Amino acid sequence: MLVVTRIRTYGGHMSHLTHRLVPGPAGRIHLVEQGTGPLVLLLHGFPESWYSWRHQLPVLAAAGYRAVAVDVRGYGRSSRPEAVAAYRMTELVEDNAAVVEALGERSAVVVGHDWGATIAAHSALLKPEVFHAVALLSVPYTPPGGPRPSEVFAGIGGEEEFYVSYFQEPGRAEREIEPDVRGWLAGFYAALSADTMPTSTADAHHMPADPHFVAPGGQLRDRFPAGRLPAWLTEDDLDVYAGEFERTGLTGALNRYRAMDQDWKDLAAYAGAPIRRPSLFLGGALDASTTWLSDAIDAFPTTLPGLHAAHLLDGCGHWIQQERPEEVGRHLTEWLGSVTSGR
């Protein structure tokens, strides 16, 4: 195991962070940790990295936890297998279990945002003996089962194409992103942030131009807001994200979308299964992930019977732990106190 300890300045404050490369099923897993105490595993979403937890690492460490933010398979310094099948949910769950073992622990609380929330949820579902509590940010839990994902997404949007279908076609999104990774990321982050969401109109009915859809013959970036970064994202922050993806490309990250139908097969035995471990949900009231999936939130008494609380933050978009770091830190530490006491 390679251990590299560094002191770096991120977001204007000094943090003592330990960077590690640990062995995983696909090769290596890069993680960043701070603090000592019960292990809390932090999983990012698309298109981010461990860096999206930069505000929570010191908060959790100060509260008495060993906070560990991972570069999910396909991102950053973690391994990037070529095969789409390597990005199945079952593979990503095994990565998380490997991190817990490599760090010398037997169990952990798992916290995820966006795709990381879905990975965290399935970690608690498939390996409840390892992941004894789970917090989901932005994307609520929906149990496995139902129609095949690609068929569902293909039917959304009418003449326009839903972004998931757009991402699922190999190479297509890469051709859009690669010429200007930094500009594309800035636009994507802005499109889903509360203070920079698009307000232009798409048609005669004065419906907002939704950045989750692609017009015929167009690109996803056609509806990104231009010229202004969200308040939570500095130029230096954007440099960190852009630098990672300019080095690695986006294919590893996008392959998560391309493996969804294989998940549907792999997880058939868990169709409709609830997560019984203690749980927490945090979402942004302006986030499409919470408005489109409001039925999933309503179903939490059935799907998350161990739910401690579900909080929707007013005026908040998709990037919740970066848009509202203080509130997210407070909710997480309060909840963690209830699920780790006595362990």
Side-chain angles (χ1 to χ4, degrees):
M1 181 189 306
L2 172 65
V3 180
V4 181
T5 304
R6 299 188 179 114
I7 300 175
R8 291 180 171 177
T9 301
Y10 291 121
H13 64 277
M14 186 68 74
S15 297
H16 295 260
L17 304 175
T18 300
H19 289 246
R20 298 181 188 266
L21 295 175
V22 301
R28 68 182 181 276
I29 301 170
H30 172 242
L31 57 86
V32 178
E33 71 171 297
Q34 187 171 5
T36 59
L39 179 60
V40 180
L41 201 62
L42 304 169
L43 309 176
H44 65 82
F46 176 88
E48 301 177 89
S49 74
W50 74 267
Y51 187 75
S52 65
W53 298 104
R54 62 194 177 280
H55 302 295
Q56 285 72 43
L57 285 165
V59 170
L60 297 180
Y65 298 98
R66 186 182 187 184
V68 173
V70 173
D71 273 339
V72 173
R73 179 184 299 206
Y75 290 81
R77 292 170 57 197
S78 293
S79 291
R80 299 184 300 281
E82 292 186 10
V84 169
Y87 297 86
R88 300 182 344 255
M89 186 60 67
T90 52
E91 296 287 329
L92 300 176
V93 169
E94 291 297 334
D95 282 352
N96 295 337
V99 168
V100 175
E101 181 179 1
L103 294 178
E105 304 284 355
R106 298 180 61 185
S107 66
V109 176
V110 61
V111 180
H113 169 255
D114 183 79
W115 262 122
T118 305
I119 299 168
H122 284 82
S123 296
L125 177 67
L126 301 181
K127 292 186 175 292
E129 72 283 2
V130 178
F131 300 101
H132 60 85
V134 57
L136 310 177
L137 276 61
S138 297
V139 176
Y141 174 60
T142 55
R148 187 184 298 269
S150 61
E151 295 173 355
V152 172
F153 296 128
I156 298 175
E159 294 182 357
E160 298 193 326
E161 185 176 11
F162 193 46
Y163 80 99
V164 175
S165 297
Y166 185 75
F167 285 166
Q168 285 179 327
E169 183 177 330
R172 188 175 176 194
E174 288 93 326
R175 289 191 293 272
E176 173 184 338
I177 300 167
E178 186 61 31
D180 180 17
V181 173
R182 192 178 193 277
W184 193 92
L185 290 173
F188 190 77
Y189 297 146
L192 306 185
S193 297
D195 60 331
T196 47
M197 288 179 176
T199 57
S200 60
T201 57
D203 54 39
H205 299 289
H206 301 291
M207 297 297 290
D210 194 326
H212 296 88
F213 294 88
V214 180
Q219 294 184 319
L220 196 66
R221 72 183 305 155
D222 293 342
R223 291 177 177 173
F224 292 172
R228 187 161 69 96
L229 294 182
W232 61 267
L233 184 69
T234 68
E235 295 285 354
D236 287 344
D237 294 331
L238 182 56
D239 284 342
V240 173
Y241 287 124
E244 290 287 77
F245 288 111
E246 286 168 351
R247 178 174 55 82
T248 66
L250 271 291
T251 298
L254 288 162
N255 277 345
R256 173 82 283 274
Y257 293 91
R258 296 162 185 165
M260 294 175 74
D261 279 357
Q262 296 184 62
D263 295 339
W264 181 76
K265 296 177 183 178
D266 292 342
L267 301 172
Y270 293 88
I275 295 172
R276 302 192 181 279
R277 289 303 197 185
S279 55
L280 174 72
F281 178 74
L282 304 175
L286 300 180
D287 184 5
S289 297
T290 56
T291 55
W292 289 347
L293 297 175
S294 60
D295 288 348
I297 296 174
D298 292 341
F300 279 169
T302 300
T303 61
L304 294 177
L307 185 69
H308 172 79
H311 301 283
L312 289 180
L313 306 189
D314 289 338
C316 184
H318 183 66
W319 316 104
I320 183 170
Q321 77 269 37
Q322 298 177 89
E323 293 187 51
R324 298 289 185 81
E326 293 83 7
E327 289 174 76
V328 169
R330 183 176 71 252
H331 286 305
L332 284 178
T333 53
E334 290 175 355
W335 172 72
L336 285 166
S338 70
V339 299
T340 58
S341 60
R343 291 192 69 89

